[in-house]
Amino acid sequence: MNKTINFAKRNFKELLRDPLMYVFCLGFPIAMLFLFFFINKYSGGNTPTFEVKSLTPGIIVFSYSFIMLTLALIVSKDRQTFFLKRLYSSPMKDYDFILGYAIVGFIIGILQTIICLLTAFIIALISKVEFIALPNVLLLFVTNLPILILNICLGILFGTAFNDKSAPGICSIFISLSGILGGCWMPLETMGGFETFCKFLPFYPSVYLGRITSGATNALKVLYKFDGYAVVAITTIFVYMIASVILTIFTFKKNMVSDK
Amino acid sequence: MSIISINNLTKDYKTTRALKGVSLEIEQGKLFGLLGVNGAGKTTLIKILCGLTKKTSGTITVNGLNLDSDINSIKQIIDVSPQETAVATNLTVLENLEFFANIYNSCDKEYLNNIINTFGLSGVLNQTAKTLSGGYKRRLSIAIALISKPKILFLDEPTLGLDVFARRELWKIIENLKGKITIILTSHYLEEIENLCDEVAILSKGEVLKTGTVEDIKAQTNTQTFEDAFIKVVKDYE
Ligand SMILES: Nc1ncnc2c1ncn2[C@@H]1O[C@H](COP(=O)(O)OP(=O)(O)O)[C@@H](O)[C@H]1O
Ligand SMILES: [Mg+2]
């Protein structure tokens, strides 16, 4: 465990000294929250999807995809500079590496969630609307855990499987998918067949569960509640999460001793 | 006594055969040089010995341990400074050293200070690795490799891309390590091998063409300079 923590510390320092991290993991979520707040405000203020309670869970889920990018960048760079290979000739084990990256992704994820919530709280104050109740705020951290773990795994996976030139490209596809198919700013519930499709990808179920937790209303002015779909959503996101964990461990073990 | 025995080692990459039946005996405490032009197979050999790449066939024992079955025990007694400098770029020199010291649970402050002095790193301790010059990056990389107090140290092209001054400085440092541990150094610089190594293997296109001291090889090839000897060995083979 000492080796894991030691490696996590190094990864954390490495990321904290990278300006890109702040742009992606802090700048983007804050900017998005304000952007949609202003769009809503100056377009008459009657887009339910852009209301604080609805928008916040969406942006939190979306912002986790930047953690995927950040991790993919550091892992692929560590491979490219041979740093990982060198560590691999030390007595560090596979789980030290994977957990060492994952812990850092997890910490950044929690910080990011806090920052999103604080920003949303300020927006709620400014626009004089009710904010998410405190117990539900805390519950949001739990609801978001599976999608956070999924993004962490995908980040490590892409960093392991692709080089530092192609990993960002692959990640940006996923970031776009997460934004569009998560229904973060698009009212998927009005889109029939497309919504059904999104329901079986990992993003929308996470946003849906987040909105149940925050007590949001959807575009059809119906309150999100723990309905039959919520059960399907939990199942769906767990299947993706477990699959990503297994795939990541497998790919990492395989690639570390390959000729690549 | 041999600390490393390599017997009929081959390595096939997807399209090329990088090592074609290499056999070598490396004696304990020696500074052993692997000399060869780019693409000869030096890095491949080092990677296999460190457990970073799988061999295709052949047997290897390191310190009496079988590479196939005892790689984890072998990892405890070896360390490597790879051809790429491979340090944590956003960490300072000191943070890099401490990070690697923690991996080996070695909290021997005196030894760490010793290394810092040997490698002349005290002036750059708080500088991030990415801001170091090539020479200092190499020094840091080799210093890191010594933190685990390895019995066997692999230095892959330690002076690649350095200017003559930085190279001479590094030679002095490597010279200082001689005799204390077994060092396997690869290089394509003849004068580096000639200046530093107790024993040499000339590697070309994945085969060992000759082994011995620099003097032996000169005598055997009937040449005056090591450069002539090297060219003769490689040309004769072709
Ligand atoms: N990962 C790899 N995949 C395929 N071929 C490789 C790989 N690494 C090295 N080679 C090939 O193996 C041969 C030996 O390379 P290398 O061991 O790097 O030589 P050296 O270190 O002596 O310059 C070269 O022909 C090189 O192109
Ligand atoms: Mg090489």
Side-chain angles (χ1 to χ4, degrees):
Chain A
M1 207 59 205
N2 277 341
K3 293 192 179 70
T4 310
I5 303 286
N6 185 43
F7 187 52
K9 266 194 205 155
R10 173 267 168 181
N11 295 336
F12 201 52
K13 277 188 200 157
E14 194 90 15
L15 288 180
L16 285 183
R17 289 172 195 176
D18 184 358
L20 268 188
M21 216 275 293
Y22 298 92
V23 176
F24 287 138
C25 294
L26 293 184
F28 259 107
I30 295 177
M32 300 275 292
L33 281 165
F34 273 105
L35 176 72
F36 288 114
F37 163 65
F38 283 117
I39 291 178
N40 193 27
K41 188 171 151 98
Y42 292 107
S43 65
N46 47 17
T47 315
T49 312
F50 294 166
E51 292 296 336
V52 168
K53 281 187 180 177
S54 194
L55 186 63
T56 313
I59 295 289
I60 292 175
V61 168
F62 177 61
S63 68
Y64 288 165
S65 52
F66 289 103
I67 294 178
M68 168 188 67
L69 173 67
T70 310
L71 285 178
L73 285 175
I74 187 175
V75 175
S76 60
K77 198 176 136 234
D78 283 347
R79 282 178 47 240
Q80 194 251 332
T81 58
F82 219 78
F83 183 73
L84 260 194
K85 279 270 184 181
R86 167 174 221 171
L87 285 180
Y88 218 71
S89 73
S90 83
M92 274 176 73
K93 299 279 188 311
D94 290 304
Y95 66 83
D96 290 317
F97 289 99
I98 296 175
L99 280 177
Y101 286 123
I103 289 171
V104 174
F106 185 77
I107 294 173
I108 297 176
I110 297 298
L111 291 177
Q112 214 177 36
T113 312
I114 294 173
I115 288 177
C116 284
L117 287 164
L118 278 177
T119 311
F121 180 67
I122 293 167
I123 289 175
L125 281 183
I126 299 173
S127 52
K128 300 197 179 65
V129 297
E130 190 195 22
F131 191 61
I132 310 162
L134 185 63
N136 298 43
V137 166
L138 298 177
L139 199 58
L140 257 185
F141 285 88
V142 183
T143 338
N144 284 326
L145 218 50
I147 188 76
L148 176 58
I149 294 174
L150 175 75
N151 275 293
I152 289 171
C153 287
L154 288 182
I156 300 174
L157 176 68
F158 293 152
T160 310
F162 303 102
N163 64 30
D164 63 330
K165 301 282 181 303
S166 47
I170 307 276
C171 286
S172 63
I173 294 174
F174 258 80
I175 294 171
S176 311
L177 288 182
S178 160
I180 297 166
L181 307 178
C184 179
W185 54 79
M186 259 190 356
L188 293 180
E189 51 274 20
T190 64
M191 295 182 178
F194 188 61
E195 188 200 12
T196 316
F197 167 69
C198 294
K199 277 180 168 175
F200 294 99
L201 295 173
F203 317 109
Y204 186 52
S206 309
V207 175
Y208 195 94
L209 293 171
R211 285 176 178 166
I212 294 175
T213 314
S214 67
T217 46
N218 73 12
L220 308 167
K221 310 253 187 242
V222 182
L223 193 69
Y224 283 91
K225 53 185 176 302
F226 201 86
D227 50 14
Y229 173 62
V231 180
V232 179
I234 293 174
T235 317
T236 309
I237 178 68
F238 265 91
V239 168
Y240 277 104
M241 182 189 80
I242 292 166
S244 73
V245 172
I246 295 171
L247 195 63
T248 302
I249 295 174
F250 176 78
T251 311
F252 190 87
K253 284 192 168 193
K254 187 163 162 281
N255 270 30
M256 285 312 287
V257 287
S258 82
D259 291 337
K260 276 204 272 178
Chain B
M1 198 200 87
S2 298
I3 192 160
I4 299 179
S5 298
I6 303 170
N7 199 354
N8 210 9
L9 171 68
T10 62
K11 169 68 187 178
D12 292 330
Y13 287 116
K14 271 206 186 75
T15 51
T16 42
R17 171 160 283 197
L19 297 173
K20 306 167 184 163
V22 167
S23 297
L24 276 179
E25 297 291 325
I26 298 172
E27 269 180 60
Q28 178 151 13
K30 287 272 165 72
L31 202 169
F32 191 93
L34 279 170
L35 175 65
V37 295
N38 286 330
K42 306 181 294 291
T43 299
T44 302
L45 182 55
I46 300 276
K47 279 188 189 169
I48 292 172
L49 289 171
C50 297
L52 295 176
T53 295
K54 291 213 150 61
K55 61 185 167 59
T56 305
S57 68
T59 51
I60 298 173
T61 53
V62 178
N63 201 32
L65 300 162
N66 186 306
L67 189 87
D68 297 316
S69 49
D70 300 319
I71 183 64
N72 285 327
S73 314
I74 292 176
K75 280 181 176 183
Q76 306 274 358
I77 56 158
I78 62 163
D79 218 317
V80 54
S81 167
Q83 186 171 326
E84 303 81 359
T85 35
V87 297
T89 46
N90 277 340
L91 297 196
T92 66
V93 170
L94 186 61
E95 285 169 339
N96 262 292
L97 292 168
E98 284 172 347
F99 168 68
F100 280 92
N102 283 335
I103 292 178
Y104 294 93
N105 299 323
S106 98
C107 35
D108 189 340
K109 279 269 180 298
E110 198 183 315
Y111 182 67
L112 195 63
N113 284 331
N114 214 338
I115 288 183
I116 291 171
N117 288 333
T118 312
F119 285 83
L121 292 171
S122 45
V124 293
L125 278 181
N126 296 317
Q127 221 172 305
T128 52
K130 68 175 170 208
T131 64
L132 294 175
S133 68
Y136 273 93
K137 254 188 210 146
R138 285 282 168 192
R139 289 192 199 190
L140 174 60
S141 179
I142 300 172
I144 284 172
L146 281 171
I147 281 180
S148 65
K149 302 185 182 167
K151 247 180 122 155
I152 304 169
L153 174 65
F154 296 98
L155 302 176
D156 196 0
E157 308 260 9
T159 66
L160 188 69
L162 300 191
D163 60 55
V164 296
F165 296 103
R167 172 169 299 148
R168 289 287 155 108
E169 291 282 316
L170 204 53
W171 282 1
K172 262 189 243 157
I173 293 171
I174 296 172
E175 197 93 43
N176 265 325
L177 302 174
K178 259 175 95 161
K180 295 175 187 139
I181 52 177
T182 310
I183 301 176
I184 291 90
L185 176 148
T186 82
S187 183
H188 64 272
Y189 299 113
L190 290 149
E191 71 286 12
E192 182 156 306
I193 297 283
E194 202 175 358
N195 270 299
L196 291 174
C197 299
D198 300 314
E199 223 181 308
V200 189
I202 295 178
L203 198 63
S204 175
K205 295 180 182 152
E207 287 183 70
V208 173
L209 304 184
K210 224 167 198 69
T211 53
T213 63
V214 168
E215 291 310 318
D216 286 346
I217 294 174
K218 280 201 280 199
Q220 282 173 29
T221 50
N222 230 336
T223 46
Q224 296 301 311
T225 66
F226 189 47
E227 186 168 329
D228 288 339
F230 176 69
I231 290 170
K232 193 149 185 225
V233 169
V234 175
K235 276 269 162 16
D236 278 359
Y237 170 73
E238 284 169 353

